[in-house]
Amino acid sequence: MARITAGVATSHVPAIGAALDNGKSGEPYWAPVFAGYEFSKKWISEQKPDVVILVYNDHATAFSLDMVPTFAIGCAEEFQPADEGWGPRPVPVVKGHPQLASHIAQSVIQDDFDLTIVNKMDVDHGLTVPLSLLFGQPEAWPCLVIPLAVNVVLYPPPSGRRCYELGRALRRAVESFDQELNVQVWGTGGMSHQLQGPRAGLINKAFDNDFLDRIVDSPEELSRVPHIDYVREAGSEGIELVMWLIMRGALNDDVTQRHRFYHVPASNTAVGHLVLENS
Ligand code: DHB
Ligand code: FE
């Protein structure tokens, strides 16, 4: 059977992708950001996941404001890097796992979570930047990827509680898939940031570090934090952090923290990153 072996959380700042794509990752501003991923790159080259279920949000790229699903699962054979206004990122095409994705849709929907089925979708920085951070700049991504898009752009977003429970349902789905697969779940976005309005540039290090503590040790309690607390404390885009709870819900109650990284600044965002293994 397929098994969820580990979870990864990471910010997905688009400027990180631009720094890599334009050969600027060694510059003084960016070097400390990439240094925070050195452990993880080595770790994942040893873990060799077959499939990553990559929880991210589409930033009005594939979904316009005409149609915004709360949760959407990518069931296609492949997903092209999106053109977000300055051409697609020069990164490999993302190869999916249609059989596992369809199985997850079947299992999770019958388990009372409504997922939108997506059979064609371009993937934006929310999905490709985390891949670049963990895998660098390969010719082809070394694993299959199932995109799981969460709406945190158009209000109302799903609650942390629902995200955590969806993670639980994801785990039941993966563990009932009749194929030997090493599966990881990644949660992306955050940490504190606000891109617009009078509070643009907001960073809250105390909130972020408390979140990093609690998502490892007391995720059940953390999942009860209402969405308005994220917006108030971590900024309007800080709400992206609820996606980390899907990753955490898919893991054991007890996990081993292999790596923790926090860095400010990266563009407008506090970068946070965790590597968690199922004990
Ligand atoms: C930034 C961060 C994001 O998560 C995002 O989606 C867009 C921009 C930023 O810090 O600039
Ligand atoms: Fe974002």
Side-chain angles (χ1 to χ4, degrees):
M1 100 186 166
R3 279 177 313 119
I4 295 176
T5 56
V8 172
T10 178
S11 306
H12 62 215
V13 183
I16 292 177
L20 264 181
D21 301 344
N22 296 303
K24 295 184 174 171
S25 56
E27 291 187 358
Y29 182 88
W30 289 112
V33 175
F34 291 101
Y37 289 81
E38 282 307 315
F39 168 88
S40 318
K41 289 172 77 172
K42 184 161 180 297
W43 170 83
I44 205 155
S45 70
E46 291 157 3
Q47 294 285 314
K48 297 189 180 25
D50 300 304
V51 185
V52 168
I53 300 172
L54 205 156
V55 181
Y56 76 111
N57 66 294
D58 178 79
H59 300 74
T61 305
F63 307 125
S64 75
L65 294 183
D66 289 348
M67 222 179 280
V68 184
T70 300
F71 298 116
I73 186 163
C75 296
E77 291 280 355
E78 58 181 46
F79 307 89
Q80 296 296 331
D83 182 350
E84 297 181 61
W86 43 89
R89 290 192 61 212
V91 293
V93 62
V94 174
K95 301 280 186 187
H97 194 312
Q99 293 83 3
L100 178 57
S102 307
H103 171 82
I104 291 171
Q106 161 77 21
S107 171
V108 166
I109 291 170
Q110 293 302 319
D111 211 356
D112 300 339
F113 285 86
D114 308 312
L115 297 185
T116 298
I117 313 294
V118 180
N119 292 318
K120 186 174 186 337
M121 174 167 73
D122 291 352
V123 286
D124 75 8
H125 68 270
L127 185 135
T128 62
V129 167
L131 289 175
S132 298
L133 280 168
L134 271 290
F135 294 125
Q137 295 171 293
E139 285 294 315
W141 298 122
C143 65
L144 303 175
V145 177
I146 297 178
L148 182 62
V150 179
N151 169 42
V152 288
V153 168
L154 183 71
Y155 281 71
S159 67
R161 184 80 210 144
R162 187 149 179 80
C163 288
Y164 189 66
E165 292 297 335
L166 175 57
R168 290 264 184 263
L170 261 184
R171 178 182 184 153
R172 291 190 287 273
V174 169
E175 291 183 346
S176 60
F177 188 65
D178 194 14
Q179 241 183 60
E180 281 292 324
L181 288 176
N182 175 356
V183 180
Q184 293 186 357
V185 181
W186 294 9
T188 77
M191 296 190 83
S192 55
H193 63 304
Q194 170 144 347
L195 301 176
Q196 66 241 303
R199 298 203 307 162
L202 176 146
I203 298 288
N204 185 341
K205 292 183 182 174
F207 177 94
D208 290 340
N209 279 290
D210 182 60
F211 187 91
L212 288 167
D213 292 339
R214 291 163 77 192
I215 197 162
V216 178
D217 294 332
S218 46
E220 168 81 23
E221 183 204 305
L222 180 64
S223 75
R224 296 179 193 281
V225 170
H227 87 274
I228 195 68
D229 288 19
Y230 290 89
V231 177
R232 197 177 283 131
E233 299 293 328
S236 52
E237 278 65 51
I239 188 65
E240 289 181 344
L241 283 170
V242 293
M243 295 186 289
W244 292 28
L245 285 163
I246 298 178
M247 174 278 290
R248 187 64 183 88
L251 300 180
N252 294 348
D253 291 344
D254 289 325
V255 290
T256 304
Q257 178 183 296
R258 298 298 309 280
H259 184 56
R260 169 173 168 158
F261 174 64
Y262 184 71
H263 176 83
V264 179
S267 191
N268 303 290
T269 300
V271 167
H273 174 42
L274 288 173
V275 174
L276 306 177
E277 279 178 15
N278 263 340
S279 303

